[in-house]
Amino acid sequence: MTQSITVGLTETITKLVMEELDKAGLAPIAEPGRHVPVGVSARHVHVNREHLDILFGPGYELTIFKDISQPGQFAANEQVTLVGPKGRIEKVRILGPLRKDTQVEVAPSDARRLGVDPPVRQSGVHPGTPGITLIGPKGTVVIEQGCIIAERHIHMTPDDAAAFGVQNGQKVQVKIEGQRGGLMDEVMIRVRDDFALDMHIDTDDGNAFGLKTGDMLEIIK
């Protein structure tokens, strides 16, 4: 058996073994300082106090559906309908806690369905973004700005950033393995003491690369 055939056979066997270990939950832990877990984020809404009162009634408080990756943040039971110039999307979940400004985060495919043209933005950066209508069980809110496509980003603590050798605000590439793998560009590093290590992408990116929440991806600087 030639060397090239032997190497190819070894690689094939290794790949099959790793796939079976992964299915059984026994895959090796990703190498520290290189791999980061991904969270695929569906369309969602952040609301402020004023708008929550209008949508759900004065003094209403969000109730927790489940905790999400970042400490203190949660997916709420409460949902709203988004209405744009060309369509609507119902049952869009609110994320808590309350924010200073109401923000709507959609994927590009959602934007086309609604008939809006939001830019790719970091959370909280609203100047020049389109508005949209939110409908709740008690009332309707029309925001003049705040609809965005969220910038791909990775949350890190300062210790994480040191381990990865990156800085806050730096943009990196991320390598995706698998049949639909490739390189994902323009991924922003966000560093803060209270962050948990997690990469956030929208559902369009997740579908394009065949990713699911919890997959481990490699940072390429």
Side-chain angles (χ1 to χ4, degrees):
M1 184 178 292
T2 66
Q3 182 177 1
S4 61
I5 294 175
T6 302
V7 171
L9 183 59
T10 300
E11 290 178 348
T12 299
I13 293 172
T14 300
K15 181 179 179 181
L16 290 172
V17 170
M18 292 301 294
E19 288 177 351
E20 291 302 314
L21 286 172
D22 184 58
K23 290 177 183 177
L26 300 174
I29 297 174
E31 182 179 340
R34 287 187 61 186
H35 291 82
V36 59
V38 67
V40 181
S41 182
R43 65 183 81 100
H44 60 271
V45 174
H46 301 278
V47 295
N48 62 20
R49 177 74 261 174
E50 176 188 359
H51 291 162
L52 183 65
D53 286 346
I54 295 171
L55 294 166
F56 290 88
Y60 191 91
E61 298 294 341
L62 295 174
T63 58
I64 298 176
F65 172 67
K66 66 176 180 179
D67 292 325
I68 55 178
S69 62
Q70 296 308 304
Q73 298 185 25
F74 60 91
N77 288 299
E78 290 71 27
Q79 301 175 69
V80 297
T81 296
L82 300 180
V83 181
K86 294 184 178 179
R88 65 171 53 204
I89 300 177
E90 298 180 348
K91 297 182 179 180
V92 179
R93 196 171 297 279
I94 295 175
L95 299 190
L98 296 178
R99 293 278 187 95
K100 176 184 176 183
D101 297 306
T102 294
Q103 176 173 288
V104 174
E105 298 182 35
V106 296
S109 58
D110 298 325
R112 290 191 293 271
R113 179 176 169 185
L114 292 164
V116 293
D117 187 23
V120 175
R121 287 288 177 87
Q122 188 174 154
S123 181
V125 181
H126 295 167
T129 61
I132 200 166
T133 299
L134 295 77
I135 301 176
K138 298 293 185 180
T140 298
V141 168
V142 180
I143 59 172
E144 295 182 357
Q145 62 179 15
C147 182
I148 68 170
I149 295 171
E151 183 176 48
R152 301 163 179 161
H153 58 278
I154 301 173
H155 293 281
M156 292 184 176
T157 65
D159 287 344
D160 291 327
F164 280 89
V166 295
Q167 297 179 349
N168 184 53
Q170 180 178 346
K171 288 192 175 182
V172 298
Q173 287 185 320
V174 173
K175 183 179 180 181
I176 298 99
E177 302 286 354
Q179 292 183 335
R180 305 187 70 182
L183 290 178
M184 193 178 294
D185 291 322
E186 298 295 310
V187 183
M188 175 70 75
I189 300 296
R190 297 176 60 186
V191 180
R192 208 166 72 190
D193 287 333
D194 59 345
F195 279 159
L197 183 64
D198 198 32
M199 175 176 172
H200 287 175
I201 59 174
D202 63 34
T203 50
D204 283 5
D205 278 342
N207 291 335
F209 288 94
L211 293 170
K212 63 182 184 301
T213 294
D215 287 344
M216 300 297 294
L217 309 183
E218 182 180 358
I219 292 180
I220 307 293
K221 291 179 286 183

